[in-house]
Amino acid sequence: MTRHFLRDDDLSPDEQRQVIDRAIAMKGDRFAERPLEGPQTVAVIFDKTSTRTRVSFAAGISDLGGSPLIINPGESQLGGKESVADTARVFERMLAAVVWRTFAQSGLDEMAAGTTIPVVNALSDDFHPCQLLADLVTVKEHRGELAGQKLAFFGDTASNMAHSYLLACATAGMHVVLSGPVDEAPRGDILSDAQRIAADTGGSAGFTVDAREAAADADVIVTDTWVSMGQESEKDARLRRFETYRVDAELMQQAAQDAIFLHCLPAYRGFEVTADVIDGPQSVIWDEAENRLHAQKALLAWLLEQ
């Protein structure tokens, strides 16, 4: 059966460990694995703009011996003159895999249901699972084993990033807590899924409006932009709504002394995080950004073997 990666819990705890460990190995020997030699082609479709996703997938597919086919908005009939299901059947006869950065999760689900090649979610409105693989690689590099680590996320806890932190960290056996306004709480079904997973892995998943409570003794402090693509018209209102969840030096002091700071970028210094934190000694954001390359390579190599 073809395996896809549409949301973080598409990987079991053991499978997630395999991909993370493989990513770390690939980072140590960047060109050791060439499963796309030929070269085979992987379509990388962008309905949303991108920097790190575009560069990391294009470079990673090339590293694996393949050829990335970048498809920008308006450059195909996908979802317009041609249905997602019909496009999926065409793709499987020409490509090794499909990577799609899009809006609705339903499009990814339809693509995966209609094809025999792996489909990878490179970001949707609901999840950002490839980013979380990179983040977990980074945490493991800097903190050792993932299980038992406490990760606290601040800000828009109804976002795709927050949802992915819940599922991915629970799968890794971590203790993940989201902190934000009560009217921006995570989706109930996703929180429930994370708590169900955590019950099996020894982790935990929760939400609190109390930022200091969330930060207390955390090993990893995380935030993300408060104004995502499509929310620009709401900028002023969102800045006011989230300002008490800004990651600053005072909040970092609530965390463990050796805590690390993550941000998937792009960052807006002075909004969701202060410059002294993101540019400070506890920040590992550049390792995190680089690890998108290695994590996605490991994921593609793993999927192609299934």
Side-chain angles (χ1 to χ4, degrees):
M1 173 184 283
T2 303
R3 294 292 300 275
H4 308 288
F5 191 54
L6 308 183
R7 47 184 278 167
D8 305 79
D9 53 351
D10 282 341
L11 296 178
S12 71
D14 182 61
E15 290 167 346
Q16 185 194 69
R17 281 191 294 271
Q18 291 176 37
V19 172
I20 290 169
D21 289 345
R22 193 166 186 170
I24 292 171
M26 285 181 163
K27 187 172 184 177
D29 191 353
R30 182 167 167 177
F31 303 105
E33 296 196 44
R34 308 277 288 179
L36 290 170
E37 197 73 76
Q40 299 180 64
T41 301
V42 175
V44 190
I45 307 167
F46 291 97
D47 295 338
K48 293 186 175 184
T49 58
S50 165
T51 299
R52 276 151 296 279
T53 298
R54 180 184 298 267
V55 174
S56 58
F57 267 112
I61 292 162
S62 297
D63 286 359
L64 295 174
S67 177
L69 172 62
I70 306 297
I71 303 176
N72 293 309
E75 293 182 349
S76 77
Q77 310 294 348
L78 175 61
K81 294 182 179 179
E82 185 169 57
S83 69
V84 172
D86 285 355
T87 302
R89 296 184 67 179
V90 172
F91 279 171
E92 71 183 16
R93 293 174 176 245
M94 303 180 185
L95 303 172
V98 177
V99 177
W100 193 4
R101 181 179 175 94
T102 189
F103 294 91
Q105 185 76 15
S106 58
L108 286 155
D109 293 339
E110 185 177 358
M111 177 76 75
T115 189
T116 57
I117 58 175
V119 176
V120 174
N121 179 358
L123 180 142
S124 70
D125 289 343
D126 291 344
F127 305 103
H128 197 357
C130 288
Q131 179 65 57
L132 260 292
L133 287 178
D135 287 6
L136 294 182
V137 168
T138 308
V139 174
K140 186 164 186 176
E141 284 181 327
H142 287 271
R143 299 285 310 172
E145 289 302 314
L146 296 173
Q149 300 283 326
K150 178 182 177 182
L151 181 146
F153 175 95
F154 300 88
D156 185 357
T157 59
S159 66
N160 50 7
M161 284 300 301
H163 292 155
S164 277
Y165 275 112
L166 283 173
L167 295 178
C169 292
T171 300
M174 298 172 69
H175 302 289
V176 55
V177 57
L178 309 183
S179 186
V182 67
D183 59 345
E184 297 288 349
R187 250 175 52 191
D189 61 316
I190 297 173
L191 179 58
S192 295
D193 286 343
Q195 291 170 335
R196 173 182 49 77
I197 294 167
D200 291 332
T201 62
S204 62
F207 167 78
T208 178
V209 297
D210 188 332
R212 291 173 66 89
E213 175 189 332
D217 300 318
D219 302 297
V220 186
I221 298 291
V222 188
T223 190
D224 187 24
T225 179
W226 296 339
V227 185
S228 297
M229 284 177 282
Q231 298 175 330
E232 291 80 5
S233 63
E234 307 170 37
K235 179 178 178 180
D236 291 343
R238 292 182 69 81
L239 295 184
R240 290 192 298 271
R241 187 180 309 157
F242 295 116
E243 62 182 353
T244 57
Y245 297 95
R246 180 177 295 111
V247 177
D248 56 17
E250 181 181 358
L251 189 69
M252 290 296 295
Q253 288 172 2
Q254 307 303 313
Q257 187 173 1
D258 58 350
I260 59 174
F261 172 76
L262 296 177
H263 191 307
C264 69
L265 303 175
Y268 300 92
R269 290 163 175 80
F271 293 160
E272 71 270 14
V273 60
T274 55
D276 59 329
V277 171
I278 196 170
D279 299 322
Q282 291 172 280
S283 175
V284 294
I285 62 168
W286 307 120
D287 290 342
E288 179 187 10
E290 177 190 345
N291 285 336
R292 286 290 300 276
L293 171 69
H294 311 300
Q296 289 161 185
K297 286 171 60 178
L299 173 69
L300 284 171
W302 186 87
L303 288 171
L304 290 166
E305 292 173 352
Q306 304 312 303

